[in-house]
Amino acid sequence: MIRFERVALRHFKNIDQGEISFPHTDDLENSLPSIIGIYGQNGSGKSSVVEAFALLQRLMSGSSLPSQAADYFQPGADSYKIELQIRLTDADDASSGKQQFDYRLIYDVEIARSANPQRSQNKNAATFRISHERLRIKNLLAQESLRTLIALSASDDPALSTSLSPTGDWKSLFTGRSDDRSQLMVQLALANERSSSGIFSYNVYAIVERALSEQARKGTNMSKNTLAALAHLHHYLLCVPALALNALENMAVISTSAHAEVSLNFLHVQSRHADYWGSEPDGIRLDLLAANTLDLKTFERLKQTIGALNEVIGTLVPGLSLIVQNHGRQALDNGETGVRAELFSQRGSALIPFRCESEGIKKIVSISTLLVNVYTNPSAFLAIDEFDSGIFEYLLGQIVETFSKYAKGQLLFTAHDLFPLEKLPKQSVVLATSSPSDKFITFTNIRKTNNLRDVYLRAIELEDGPAAIYNRTDRYEMDNAFYQAGQALKPQGVDDNE
């Protein structure tokens, strides 16, 4: 089981310093719901958290960072940092006495501006680089202190090698294995050029695994310190692939750009399966304006996915079900036989193309598989920006209430609609403030009888709280501003009375 415990951002967009802790991350045997709803005015930094998780998902899955990573620097800042605290455990087996591992991991990464536009194979990524990354580990079963497992520091100059630490541990691994060390440094340099993580590189993992296996064959012909160093590095073989595969199969981030796809009549039916470490999850992207030609395997997977979702969709939108229509066979570009498929909505006996549905319904369908995964899977994590966009406020409140009581996985969302505040426990609500140095706070001194929505609105009105949660706006200033703008835009010679 993998659970995120805490995320911290530094110099990320408009956030000087911000930290969010997830609730119910200690009672892992019961898999209590771990839900976070982030509220705040426009531009307060809510979306930044979702964008940071999007970068973490790509880093931990071994993928290259997107060009948008260059957009997250604060003006005047040379770098930004993201830190994620993670629990990796087989606590499911604790009650049976079979628990074998329980780790607290902290992954931190620093993205820096690049002064060398030739450093990257990706021209869009040439303006930034992964300057530092580190993975620390604490063995909770052995009650050990927090130790660095692997730390990398990369130069802006591709000709200079990446530094690797802890120096003693890694030196012990590569003693007498200069070829393996050389191959490792080459793979770290390639990861640097691709703007991808060296820690979560599959090729780096393969070299470390081979070296550790070879060293293990030497048995006891090593010093006590060397054996201890190699035993510590063995944690890498367990933790890194577990985090990488979890990022691929159980971690999903839905940004506002994903909502825009729905507006453009593209439906992305999410799937959390990847063929290999470093690949992308193979969701199905459908053009709603025309029939889609799919290979037979994808067509069958689409039918199976839609069939499984219909029970959920019918509860979210009563009376609605989806049908995948087969419009016949058609040759694919590779010469194989495919199927022309189109998605339809059915209400009673009425059948209409799914493209005619509202954007809200399209959005609900597109994220349904991910919501099901969070509801049933303790290791699942889903971050959704503007969860309330296009979804009826009361329905959103019901979804949030259901997940806050019964979901086994983790859900983080941003929203503006305040009704869900009445359905969330206080520990699940995070407020984005107008203070860059204290960006995220939680409610304090809340009684069971308090209505969080009322408390929040009262704090805005009275400017009451440990940090400013609202940059005050004035209705009369708005009135005057609209009038002045209208005057400035009015054609010359036109009278107000005309």
Side-chain angles (χ1 to χ4, degrees):
M1 180 194 304
I2 292 177
R3 304 276 273 189
F4 298 151
E5 296 183 321
R6 177 180 57 85
V7 63
L9 308 180
R10 186 170 179 82
H11 301 313
F12 192 94
K13 297 182 74 174
N14 66 339
I15 301 173
D16 283 346
Q17 181 77 37
E19 182 174 311
I20 293 175
S21 296
F22 288 85
H24 303 312
T25 55
D26 289 329
D27 190 359
L28 299 180
E29 290 184 45
N30 296 315
S31 298
L32 294 175
S34 184
I35 312 298
I36 287 288
I38 308 176
Y39 281 83
Q41 71 184 119
N42 299 100
S44 60
K46 303 184 302 297
S47 296
S48 297
V49 181
V50 177
E51 290 164 335
F53 271 108
L55 295 186
L56 287 169
Q57 196 272 340
R58 295 188 70 88
L59 287 166
M60 291 193 294
S61 64
S63 302
S64 297
L65 290 179
S67 58
Q68 290 87 342
D71 299 334
Y72 303 145
F73 292 101
Q74 276 190 345
D78 293 327
S79 65
Y80 58 84
K81 298 179 181 179
I82 308 173
E83 181 177 287
L84 182 65
Q85 183 172 304
I86 310 162
R87 187 79 171 269
L88 171 61
T89 179
D90 62 345
D92 295 350
D93 297 326
S95 58
S96 62
K98 298 179 180 179
Q99 187 175 12
Q100 298 180 358
F101 61 89
D102 191 1
Y103 299 119
R104 174 163 287 127
L105 301 158
I106 300 179
Y107 173 64
D108 55 270
V109 59
E110 180 177 14
I111 313 296
R113 296 185 191 272
S114 175
N116 182 359
Q118 304 301 321
R119 63 159 295 278
S120 176
Q121 296 176 356
N122 181 354
K123 293 182 179 179
N124 293 326
T127 57
F128 66 87
R129 61 191 175 91
I130 301 173
S131 57
H132 301 282
E133 57 177 333
R134 176 177 57 170
L135 183 63
R136 289 174 288 169
I137 184 172
K138 181 176 183 178
N139 188 338
L140 298 177
L141 291 182
Q143 297 182 338
E144 295 176 353
S145 59
L146 188 68
R147 293 181 59 188
T148 297
L149 187 56
I150 179 172
L152 306 174
S153 295
S155 169
D156 201 18
D157 185 351
L160 300 178
S161 62
T162 299
S163 65
L164 175 66
S165 59
T167 306
D169 290 351
W170 292 97
K171 183 178 179 180
S172 298
L173 176 62
F174 292 113
T175 297
R177 306 189 63 82
S178 58
D179 287 347
D180 280 343
R181 180 175 176 81
S182 296
Q183 291 178 32
L184 179 75
M185 301 315 292
V186 168
Q187 292 303 324
L188 290 176
L190 290 174
N192 184 23
E193 289 185 22
R194 290 193 295 263
S195 298
S196 61
S197 168
I199 290 178
F200 292 99
S201 163
Y202 176 78
N203 291 331
V204 169
Y205 167 82
I207 294 169
V208 174
E209 182 185 38
R210 182 174 67 242
L212 280 170
S213 297
E214 290 295 328
Q215 292 285 29
R217 292 194 183 97
K218 295 181 180 180
T220 58
N221 297 324
M222 290 180 281
S223 69
K224 182 178 179 181
N225 288 340
T226 298
L227 288 172
L230 297 180
H232 179 59
L233 291 181
H234 265 286
H235 295 310
Y236 177 92
L237 298 185
L238 171 66
C239 297
V240 167
L243 294 178
L245 293 175
N246 189 74
L248 281 166
E249 298 193 346
N250 290 319
M251 186 177 179
V253 180
I254 305 297
S255 64
T256 51
S257 60
H259 303 328
E261 273 204 306
V262 170
S263 301
L264 295 173
N265 276 303
F266 287 97
L267 180 69
H268 199 98
V269 181
Q270 302 284 351
S271 172
R272 303 316 303 162
H273 170 74
D275 292 330
Y276 56 91
W277 181 355
S279 69
E280 298 288 343
D282 57 349
I284 306 169
R285 189 171 185 265
L286 298 176
D287 182 354
L288 298 180
L289 298 179
N292 296 258
T293 303
L294 308 173
D295 62 74
L296 296 177
K297 181 179 178 180
T298 302
F299 175 70
E300 291 301 323
R301 185 157 52 88
L302 176 62
K303 286 202 306 179
Q304 180 182 10
T305 301
I306 294 299
L309 289 180
N310 268 331
E311 186 171 350
V312 172
I313 292 170
T315 64
L316 299 178
V317 186
L320 175 67
S321 61
L322 303 180
I323 293 177
V324 181
Q325 280 208 347
N326 184 340
H327 290 314
R329 299 295 178 97
Q330 181 170 316
L332 301 173
D333 292 339
N334 61 7
E336 295 182 1
T337 300
V339 176
R340 294 178 65 247
E342 188 173 4
L343 196 60
F344 280 79
S345 297
Q346 185 172 22
R347 287 182 174 86
S349 59
L351 199 66
I352 63 170
F354 185 69
R355 63 176 177 270
C356 299
E357 294 289 356
S358 69
E359 291 183 15
I361 288 180
K362 294 174 187 175
K363 176 181 174 180
I364 289 171
V365 171
S366 68
I367 64 175
S368 290
T369 52
L370 303 179
L371 290 173
V372 170
N373 196 31
V374 169
Y375 190 84
T376 58
N377 183 355
S379 293
F381 173 83
L382 173 60
I384 308 178
D385 197 12
E386 298 189 6
F387 194 13
D388 53 341
S389 174
I391 299 180
F392 183 48
E393 185 179 27
Y394 189 78
L395 173 61
L396 179 64
Q398 289 184 311
I399 295 172
V400 166
E401 183 178 21
T402 299
F403 275 69
S404 68
K405 291 181 176 180
Y406 306 114
K408 293 183 178 180
Q410 295 182 287
L411 172 66
L412 179 145
F413 68 90
T414 72
H416 297 99
D417 286 341
L418 300 184
F419 179 64
L421 284 177
E422 300 182 11
K423 305 298 181 181
L424 284 170
K426 64 179 182 180
Q427 63 268 26
S428 290
V429 178
V430 171
L431 307 179
T433 74
S434 58
S435 171
S437 59
D438 188 19
K439 180 53 67 174
F440 304 109
I441 62 174
T442 56
F443 283 114
T444 57
N445 301 320
I446 299 296
R447 301 174 182 174
K448 290 183 178 181
T449 56
N450 287 144
N451 182 303
L452 293 185
R453 181 179 184 274
D454 293 341
V455 172
Y456 182 48
L457 290 174
R458 185 166 59 250
I460 291 175
E461 289 291 337
L462 301 178
E463 298 183 352
D464 180 28
I469 59 175
Y470 191 76
N471 277 327
R472 181 163 292 280
T473 53
D474 186 278
R475 184 180 66 80
Y476 299 103
E477 290 180 0
M478 290 183 194
D479 181 29
N480 182 63
F482 278 114
Y483 175 78
Q484 295 296 337
Q487 293 298 307
L489 295 173
K490 184 174 63 179
Q492 291 183 358
V494 177
D495 189 86
D496 285 343
N497 296 321
E498 293 183 8

